[in-house]
């Protein structure tokens, strides 16, 4: 098509440039289409979860291996994934029930090694790269063993017993097995408000004081007057930022544990 206007060599050069231009245009169009599609999918997922709220709340969708997350929890994780640009290599979830949330992490982070802990974990039907362990998060020796063998973790999700003392112990035991920059998420903080109803006892609220202590640390204010759980006090300085949801707390762990000497008191009775 260039023969009347250019030499054979010039024609070949122009054809090569046209081919490159077409490839660049195609890639740009594909990128724009992918961005638009991703935005539409995110909006559609949000609408879908909102429309399924009654099914989630009634338990219709959470009795089997489907995702054991409420709509506000899913929205919270969406903010974490998008806002923190997450790309974890090792994930631990405490409390996995049917295993649906493990599949969610697998879909979001296909290259990650994922460990799920539960008193009655799912043992079959999970994809390669997903390991389930049986045990109780109130067992300090077990939690530290998991950290040593499977860590260091880039993302930990505590969706286990929701007992505040179990949550605290797990955080204390796993803190030394977190990568710098790891996210540590604690779910269902509202459970402590249910203590004493229908025979339940989720313990005292330890996370309100911890959040206050971290905020005071950010302000470079003293912490001595705060009624902070002693085993949590050394960990305040390791938190570099926090994200709060209606029932969730995400802590960014920014400094290595070695900077802070021996493990806190919960680790003293068991070998690290």
């Amino acid at each position: 098509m260039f023969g009347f206007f250019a030499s054979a060599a010039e024609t070949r050069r122009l054809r090569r440039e046209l081919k490159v231009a077409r490839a660049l245009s195609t890639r740009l169009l594909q990128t724009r289409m992918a961005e638009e599609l991703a935005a539409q999918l995110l909006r559609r997922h949000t609408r879908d979860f909102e429309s399924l709220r009654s099914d989630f709340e009634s338990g219709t969708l959470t009795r089997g291996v489907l995702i054991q997350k409420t709509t506000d929890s899913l929205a919270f994780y969406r903010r974490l994934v998008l806002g923190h640009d997450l790309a974890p290599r090792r994930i631990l979830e405490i409390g996995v029930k049917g295993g649906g949330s493990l599949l969610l992490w697998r879909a979001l982070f296909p290259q990650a090694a994922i460990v799920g802990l539960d008193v009655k974990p799912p043992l079959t039907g999970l994809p390669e790269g997903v390991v389930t362990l049986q045990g109780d998060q109130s067992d300090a020796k077990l939690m530290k063993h998991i950290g040593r063998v499977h860590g260091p973790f880039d993302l930990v999700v505590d969706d286990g017993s929701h007992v505040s003392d179990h949550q605290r112990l797990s955080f204390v035991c796993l803190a030394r097995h977190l990568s710098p920059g790891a996210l540590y998420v604690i779910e269902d903080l509202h459970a402590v408000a249910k203590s004493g109803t229908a025979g339940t006892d989720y313990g005292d609220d330890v996370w309100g004081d911890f959040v206050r202590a971290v905020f005071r640390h950010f302000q470079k204010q003293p912490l001595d007057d705060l009624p902070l759980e002693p085993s949590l006090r050394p960990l305040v300085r390791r938190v570099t930022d926090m994200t709060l949801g209606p029932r969730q707390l995400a802590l960014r762990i920014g400094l290595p544990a070695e900077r802070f000497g021996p493990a806190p008191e919960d680790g003293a009775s068991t070998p690290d």
Side-chain angles (χ1 to χ4, degrees):
M1 77 188 241
F2 303 107
F4 294 102
F5 305 99
S7 65
E10 184 69 11
T11 298
R12 288 193 294 271
R13 183 185 68 81
L14 290 172
R15 283 176 175 167
R16 286 196 299 271
E17 291 181 355
L18 180 60
K19 186 177 180 179
V20 170
R22 284 174 174 169
L24 290 173
S25 298
T26 300
R27 182 66 67 199
L28 178 61
L29 180 61
Q30 289 173 331
T31 300
R32 291 298 301 273
M33 289 178 66
E35 290 172 349
E36 288 297 320
L37 179 60
Q40 290 177 21
L41 286 174
L42 287 172
R43 289 195 296 270
R44 179 174 175 78
H45 286 174
T46 301
R47 289 198 300 269
D48 285 347
F49 287 135
E50 288 297 323
S51 68
L52 294 174
R53 180 181 296 275
S54 61
D55 290 328
F56 272 102
E57 292 176 348
S58 67
T60 302
L61 300 179
T62 59
R63 292 194 181 100
V65 297
L66 297 179
I67 299 170
Q68 310 293 313
K69 304 293 182 188
T70 60
T71 50
D72 62 275
S73 289
L74 292 170
F76 181 78
Y77 284 111
R78 177 172 174 265
R79 292 197 299 273
L80 289 184
V81 169
L82 297 178
H84 289 272
D85 192 24
L86 292 185
R89 294 172 297 172
R90 295 184 180 90
I91 301 172
L92 169 65
E93 181 166 29
I94 302 168
V96 300
K97 203 173 182 180
S101 54
L102 295 176
L103 299 177
L104 173 63
W105 306 132
R106 190 61 174 169
L108 287 170
F109 311 112
Q111 303 305 316
I114 302 169
V115 178
L117 174 68
D118 202 282
V119 292
K120 294 181 180 179
L123 301 176
T124 60
L126 295 173
E128 183 179 355
V130 178
V131 175
T132 56
L133 305 173
Q134 185 169 13
D136 195 314
Q137 72 175 122
S138 65
D139 184 340
K141 183 179 290 188
L142 172 64
M143 298 310 295
K144 292 162 76 172
H145 173 77
I146 291 173
R148 287 195 307 270
V149 174
H150 298 281
F153 296 109
D154 307 295
L155 173 63
V156 175
V157 176
D158 185 343
D159 191 16
S161 69
H162 310 315
V163 176
S164 60
D165 195 55
H166 297 174
Q167 295 170 336
R168 176 193 60 81
L169 184 144
S170 298
F171 182 44
V172 169
C173 290
L174 291 170
R176 298 181 65 83
H177 304 287
L178 300 175
S179 302
L183 270 182
Y184 196 100
V185 182
I186 304 155
E187 290 201 18
D188 293 309
L189 300 179
H190 69 296
V192 294
K194 298 180 180 179
S195 291
T197 62
T200 59
D201 184 8
Y202 293 100
D204 298 325
D205 180 14
V206 301
W207 299 111
D209 292 331
F210 186 79
V211 167
R212 250 191 353 245
V214 171
F215 188 66
R216 289 275 290 273
H217 175 65
F218 289 165
Q219 295 178 314
K220 303 187 185 304
Q221 298 294 321
L223 310 179
D224 297 339
D225 60 328
L226 290 178
L228 187 61
E229 173 66 39
S231 62
L232 292 174
R233 191 174 293 273
L235 302 178
V236 169
R237 293 176 294 165
R238 292 192 60 198
V239 178
T240 59
D241 64 60
M242 299 181 293
T243 303
L244 284 168
R247 308 180 184 188
Q248 309 85 13
L249 169 64
L251 304 169
R252 173 77 77 176
I253 307 300
L255 296 174
E258 289 75 12
R259 292 275 301 278
F260 298 95
E265 62 178 20
D266 278 301
S269 60
T270 57
D272 191 23

